[in-house]
Amino acid sequence: MSKRAGGRSGQALLVWGLLVVAANLRPSLTGVGPLLDRVQADLGLAPAVAGLLTTLPLLAFAAVSPVVPRMAARWGPERLLWGALLVMTFGIAVRWIPSAGALFAGTVLIGAGIAVGNVILPSLIKRDFPDRVGLLTSAYATVMGGVAAVASGVAVPIAEAAPGGWYTALGCWIVPALVAVALWFPQVRAARPADGTVRRRRLPWRSPLAWAVTAFMGLQSLGFYVAVTWLPQVFQDSGVGAATAGWLLFLYQAVALVTSLAVPIALRWARDQRAVAAVSSAALLTGYAGLLVAPGWVLAWTVVLGLAGGACLVLALAFLSLRAHDATGAGELSAMAQSIGYLVAAAGPVVFGLLHTVSSGWEAPLALMCVAATGQVIVSIAAGRGTVPAAGADRDPLGAGEPR
């Protein structure tokens, strides 16, 4: 463990800060799906346009992620993360304004802020807790997934009970965002001043293993964002009420917490992650195929998809650190995997919605997800072991090798 995390009180504060940041990386996005029909009705949006509310943050992830290592080199990872939290908080506030323009503009700002957190957190864990990568990755993935699940479950009840309806249901997440801003500020004060020098860096574009990790990240993310955007409507078209569909989405994310906690135990006994990743991806394929051929069993397929999705999320995040040679490599691999991976994922909600519109049913969209899950099974074998070689970096923006 680096000196940066030394001392029990400082170490505990850092862990709490990381977990509170993680708690804010999904609820502003997962709370949209259960409200999508209300958003479409109030603003007169077509299904494909409404899908942009999930796609825009993913495009922001893809655009911002590659430049995060350079920004971290200039300002330092702690300061950059704190600034990203401020941007995200402002985006939530903007989205509370009752207009379509504010809704989409705020969503872009939220996506930009989350993108920085997505890249920085794995690198900070690799730097400050190199001997606890699996445990802390599982912890922050569990917190992230748990809060995301709550956001899905309470979205419709808040929209029905609170003044402002769904605007308030989306805007109320400014409270935990402000808490994260406050709790992360001590890390900004404790951080070493950045020298402002940014030297040329290269992401591992030539590494087949890096591309396998990127593909795994992209395909599992595609499945997650399609699920949180469209599963409520798939459920409703199967005869489930709107509130129940929201709670089914909550269940999907809640059962994912079980495997989020169990994956580190499985990895501790495995020589590598190939078998766990392949089995988890195959379970996703089973869930999508089940919705396609037996849509009446929505509860069973929700549980299957949730258990598989939770495992795949933890694995995708863990790969960013486990496949890297050090914190610098984790930052580079994270930037590459999340830029390309989320660009792939961004197409998911829009294409899923377009296929539904064109085919007037859910068979074609669900068949597409079966194809994506099959591809994930294949790439999981390659992404489950090995180390991405150094990409010629001449400077460590996250301070690896320079204890703090």
Side-chain angles (χ1 to χ4, degrees):
M1 184 181 302
S2 74
K3 295 179 181 179
R4 171 69 181 82
R8 288 190 176 183
S9 59
Q11 179 183 350
L13 184 61
L14 176 57
V15 170
W16 275 109
L18 290 171
L19 294 180
V20 173
V21 171
N24 283 272
L25 296 183
R26 292 296 180 269
S28 296
L29 307 181
T30 59
V32 173
L35 303 172
L36 202 57
D37 56 341
R38 299 166 187 253
V39 174
Q40 289 180 242
D42 287 355
L43 300 180
L45 303 178
V49 176
L52 287 174
L53 290 174
T54 300
T55 301
L56 283 175
L58 302 183
L59 293 176
F61 294 173
V64 174
S65 295
V67 301
V68 171
R70 294 178 63 85
M71 292 190 294
R74 181 177 295 278
W75 296 305
E78 293 86 358
R79 290 180 177 82
L80 178 61
L81 184 55
W82 190 68
L85 290 171
L86 290 175
V87 170
M88 183 181 66
T89 303
F90 180 66
I92 296 173
V94 169
R95 200 161 66 169
W96 208 335
I97 300 172
S99 73
L103 178 64
F104 284 100
T107 297
V108 171
L109 292 174
I110 291 169
I114 293 175
V116 175
N118 285 340
V119 174
I120 290 292
L121 258 62
S123 300
L124 288 176
I125 290 174
K126 183 73 171 181
R127 183 194 73 183
D128 291 331
F129 304 95
D131 55 342
R132 301 179 185 176
V133 168
L135 177 63
L136 285 177
T137 299
S138 174
Y140 97 74
T142 300
V143 170
M144 185 170 65
V147 178
V150 171
S152 298
V154 303
V156 172
I158 291 177
E160 292 178 346
W166 59 266
Y167 291 104
T168 301
L170 296 179
C172 69
W173 294 103
I174 196 171
V175 175
L178 289 171
V179 172
V181 168
L183 284 182
W184 191 251
F185 186 68
Q187 305 305 324
V188 177
R189 298 184 62 184
R192 181 188 61 188
D195 63 13
T197 302
V198 179
R199 298 183 177 91
R200 185 172 180 173
R201 304 188 55 83
R202 293 201 310 269
L203 301 184
W205 301 114
R206 297 182 179 180
S207 167
L209 177 55
W211 280 106
V213 171
T214 297
F216 189 88
M217 168 65 76
L219 290 171
Q220 71 84 26
S221 295
L222 183 150
F224 174 79
Y225 287 104
V226 164
V228 298
T229 304
W230 291 112
L231 276 188
Q233 291 203 23
V234 174
F235 295 155
Q236 289 180 57
D237 286 353
S238 298
V240 174
T244 303
W247 284 111
L248 281 172
L249 188 59
F250 166 82
L251 177 65
Y252 160 78
Q253 295 170 89
V255 297
L257 302 183
V258 176
T259 44
S260 295
L261 295 171
V263 165
I265 300 174
L267 297 184
R268 188 177 302 173
W269 295 99
R271 295 181 59 185
D272 53 47
Q273 300 83 44
R274 289 177 297 173
V276 177
V279 170
S280 301
S281 301
L284 277 180
L285 174 58
T286 301
Y288 293 130
L291 284 176
L292 181 61
V293 302
W297 293 12
V298 291
L299 180 60
W301 306 131
T302 297
V303 172
V304 171
L305 288 171
L307 292 173
C312 291
L313 172 61
V314 173
L315 287 166
L317 295 174
F319 286 164
L320 302 179
S321 296
L322 293 173
R323 299 287 83 83
H325 57 285
D326 56 15
T328 302
E332 294 166 348
L333 180 58
S334 182
M336 174 181 169
Q338 299 200 51
S339 61
I340 303 300
Y342 283 123
L343 189 61
V344 171
V350 174
V351 173
F352 197 88
L354 284 173
L355 284 176
H356 173 58
T357 301
V358 172
S359 65
S360 300
W362 298 111
E363 290 79 9
L366 289 173
L368 173 66
M369 299 312 299
C370 290
V371 173
T374 301
Q376 187 176 317
V377 173
I378 295 171
V379 300
S380 67
I381 303 301
R385 69 171 181 175
T387 301
V388 175
D394 60 356
R395 187 174 188 269
D396 181 0
L398 293 166
E402 294 185 27
R404 295 186 179 189

